[in-house]
Amino acid sequence: MSEIKAFIFDLDGVITDTAEFHYRAWKRLADEEGIPFTREDNEALRGVSRRESLARLLKGRPITEEQAQAWMARKNGYYQQYLTEITPGNLLPGATDFLADARTRGVKIAVGSASRNARTVLDSLQITDQLDAIGDGYSVTRSKPAPDLFIWVAGRLDLPPGRCAVFEDAEAGIDAALAAGAYAVGVGPAERVGHAHLRLPNGLADITVPECLERLGNL
Ligand code: B16
Ligand code: MG
């Protein structure tokens, strides 16, 4: 029997690709404010909180707290407009089968996302009902790379983090999973998630549930 009793999935970059919508929303704000912002710059925003994303976009440009709040609200408004386009067709390749197979095998499944919009996205993807727990941008105060969110989700599942495998596409997310004492499965290139226990260059389509449990169990 595997030690691993649950899979905790990050949302953006693992189950669906909302990064493109985040990019378009930040880009719109940056253009309006005359701040240079490229797709490459957007990579640094992957997996980090809205507040930290703004700081990285500003690259040290000073703004007042009032402006920061107004800009984050404006960006979020744009982002939420894009989110209305999301359907189950936006699930990343392999996600549907992997989640269903995990449940069939008695592995609990949960989401641990930094996003305050995670529940809306999960509803639009029509997978909310399948999940045993959902941690989002409201669940904890300290965001990734702090371990808090994954510890919180493991608690909701009634499991120690060491019995959970976290699937993450962001460097900060893998840091958080390792700090929580969970197994870490990285989605994407080695430069970003090479410090995970196991890496899936193309995401959940790369592996089956039994293969994943076996590889993590043999570490
Ligand atoms: P929101 P994840 C993260 O989602 C995104 O990757 C990141 O770009 C975003 O800034 C963060 O959520 C907060 O999102 O502004 O909607 O609260 O990868 O943790 O699922
Ligand atoms: Mg992510």
Side-chain angles (χ1 to χ4, degrees):
M1 275 293 276
S2 168
E3 279 250 304
I4 296 168
K5 302 291 177 209
F7 291 150
I8 303 174
F9 301 95
D10 171 57
L11 181 59
D12 175 23
V14 173
I15 289 182
T16 189
D17 229 339
T18 31
E20 177 61 24
F21 298 130
H22 281 295
Y23 168 68
R24 284 193 227 160
W26 282 122
K27 177 71 179 154
R28 200 164 148 188
L29 176 86
D31 285 351
E32 285 165 0
E33 299 299 337
I35 298 167
F37 183 65
T38 63
R39 275 184 189 278
E40 209 184 340
D41 295 331
N42 189 58
E43 279 301 302
L45 276 48
R46 194 180 277 270
V48 301
S49 69
R50 196 180 305 170
R51 185 75 210 214
E52 179 61 24
S53 295
L54 177 64
R56 293 185 186 191
L57 178 140
L58 289 171
K59 294 193 190 118
R61 284 179 185 78
I63 59 168
T64 65
E65 179 57 26
E66 205 181 352
Q67 263 177 322
Q69 293 300 335
W71 289 14
M72 286 190 290
R74 190 168 1 132
K75 180 268 173 180
N76 196 48
Y78 298 152
Y79 180 61
Q80 287 178 337
Q81 282 173 26
Y82 299 134
L83 289 186
T84 59
E85 296 171 23
I86 293 196
T87 69
N90 289 87
L91 282 158
L92 281 169
T96 306
D97 289 348
F98 195 90
L99 267 65
D101 196 30
R103 277 172 67 88
T104 306
R105 290 168 191 277
V107 178
K108 289 183 181 176
I109 59 172
V111 158
S113 168
S115 176
R116 294 188 168 190
N117 294 290
R119 281 183 179 272
T120 307
V121 175
L122 292 168
D123 285 348
S124 301
L125 294 171
Q126 295 178 20
I127 58 169
T128 307
D129 295 352
Q130 299 172 38
L131 298 165
D132 296 294
I134 299 170
D136 63 13
Y138 294 104
S139 304
V140 296
T141 311
R142 293 194 311 163
S143 47
K144 308 167 191 176
D148 305 29
L149 180 66
F150 296 130
I151 293 173
W152 187 92
V153 175
R156 299 291 286 205
L157 295 171
D158 236 344
L159 288 169
R163 289 295 187 100
C164 303
V166 170
F167 294 70
E168 256 290 350
D169 70 311
E171 188 178 355
I174 297 295
D175 291 342
L178 295 174
Y183 290 88
V185 181
V187 170
E191 308 87 80
R192 214 163 65 207
V193 294
H195 51 321
H197 291 109
L198 172 67
R199 190 169 68 85
L200 310 175
N202 306 301
L204 296 173
D206 282 346
I207 203 165
T208 63
V209 171
E211 202 183 332
C212 183
L213 292 172
E214 195 194 325
R215 287 181 64 183
L216 291 173
N218 287 335
L219 286 173

